[in-house]
Amino acid sequence: DTEVTQTPKHLVMGMTNKKSLKCEQHMGHRAMYWYKQKAKKPPELMFVYSYEKLSINESVPSRFSPECPNSSLLNLHLHALQPEDSALYLCASSPSGLPGYTFGSGTRLTVV
Amino acid sequence: DQQVKQNSPSLSVQEGRISILNCDYTNSMFDYFLWYKKYPAEGPTFLISISSIKDKNEDGRFTVFLNKSAKHLSLHIVPSQPGDSAVYFCAASAGTSYGKLTFGQGTILTVHP
């Protein structure tokens, strides 16, 4: 299995909703990442997990809450988002923090 | 402060010819560079990488060149094919950054049949 699987592919949520994005990989990669990509912009790093521990938080607002329950799973919990948070959220993984990522297809999030 | 720059938003090339995509960086701590290809509604796909100890890396139709003194890298695609049409992102990493990648703005490549 050489894939990173993200669910759901599309999500529409209201500003008072709570939702979660899920990411799964079975390549034995020990580093996992959340990136955010706005239209016509490059991906921007949000969080890095290394060996299931949060190692980088790029000053992301607390309405985004990451969780790494085990070495194969990465979640992003969303609460009280704003319309400007609408974007493509990409999960990626890599072996032990090496930068040769494998990306998932992303979750297209729309906040209304 | 944009540390990785792709100054050409788009490039149009005829099928069979060479495509050259360029990337400049400013952070001298970057020591690993990658190129990703992205289709709409998909995640980026890794194409090729190069370590700062090398000046060239080749994989099939794709070759990446690194000029450390100029802080410049380029991706050559030869021969270009219509299926290569996509957005190409240059990305860079510094050795102590837990694999954090800094991406350029991307270049839209269109290969015409």
Side-chain angles (χ1 to χ4, degrees):
Chain A
D1 187 353
T2 58
E3 288 187 346
V4 173
T5 303
Q6 288 188 245
T7 55
K9 292 196 181 304
H10 300 275
L11 178 62
V12 179
M13 61 184 290
M15 289 189 282
T16 58
N17 290 159
K18 285 185 181 181
K19 297 286 185 184
S20 296
L21 309 185
K22 181 180 173 182
C23 174
E24 193 167 2
Q25 58 89 13
H26 296 287
M27 295 177 280
H29 289 174
R30 300 313 297 269
M32 296 185 75
Y33 311 81
W34 282 113
Y35 277 79
K36 173 181 177 179
Q37 186 176 22
K38 302 278 275 183
K40 299 188 188 302
K41 297 287 188 183
E44 291 183 349
L45 181 68
M46 300 174 73
F47 302 104
V48 179
Y49 273 83
S50 179
Y51 291 87
E52 294 111 71
K53 293 191 189 310
L54 183 65
S55 56
I56 294 180
N57 176 342
E58 292 284 290
S59 302
V60 178
S62 60
R63 57 185 184 268
F64 295 91
S65 176
E67 178 197 21
C68 190
N70 59 56
S71 61
S72 300
L73 280 176
L74 186 65
N75 298 319
L76 186 63
H77 303 297
L78 314 172
H79 174 54
L81 295 193
Q82 304 297 311
E84 58 264 30
D85 296 320
S86 299
L88 180 68
Y89 288 83
L90 293 163
C91 174
S93 69
S94 70
S96 303
L98 295 175
Y101 291 3
T102 300
F103 277 94
S105 295
T107 294
R108 175 70 61 186
L109 174 68
T110 303
V111 182
V112 297
Chain B
D1 176 28
Q2 199 174 339
Q3 298 184 59
V4 178
K5 299 177 186 178
Q6 293 175 254
N7 292 318
S8 297
S10 63
L11 175 67
S12 183
V13 172
Q14 204 68 29
E15 181 178 6
R17 306 294 289 268
I18 185 171
S19 295
I20 300 176
L21 297 105
N22 293 304
C23 178
D24 297 294
Y25 63 96
T26 57
N27 187 342
S28 57
M29 297 300 290
F30 288 146
D31 57 4
Y32 199 78
F33 303 89
L34 308 92
W35 284 94
Y36 282 85
K37 171 182 177 180
K38 187 177 186 301
Y39 295 115
E42 293 185 11
T45 302
F46 170 73
L47 273 178
I48 192 168
S49 63
I50 188 166
S51 164
S52 59
I53 62 173
K54 295 187 174 183
D55 55 18
K56 177 182 174 181
N57 189 26
E58 195 171 350
D59 184 1
R61 297 186 297 116
F62 302 93
T63 302
V64 56
F65 295 92
L66 175 62
N67 183 332
K68 281 181 62 180
S69 60
K71 292 190 174 68
H72 176 83
L73 64 156
S74 60
L75 174 68
H76 293 209
I77 306 174
V78 183
S80 301
Q81 300 172 353
D84 295 330
S85 298
V87 180
Y88 287 77
F89 289 100
C90 169
S93 173
T96 57
S97 62
Y98 289 92
K100 172 185 175 180
L101 288 182
T102 301
F103 284 84
Q105 296 288 95
T107 296
I108 301 170
L109 173 65
T110 304
V111 180
H112 298 282

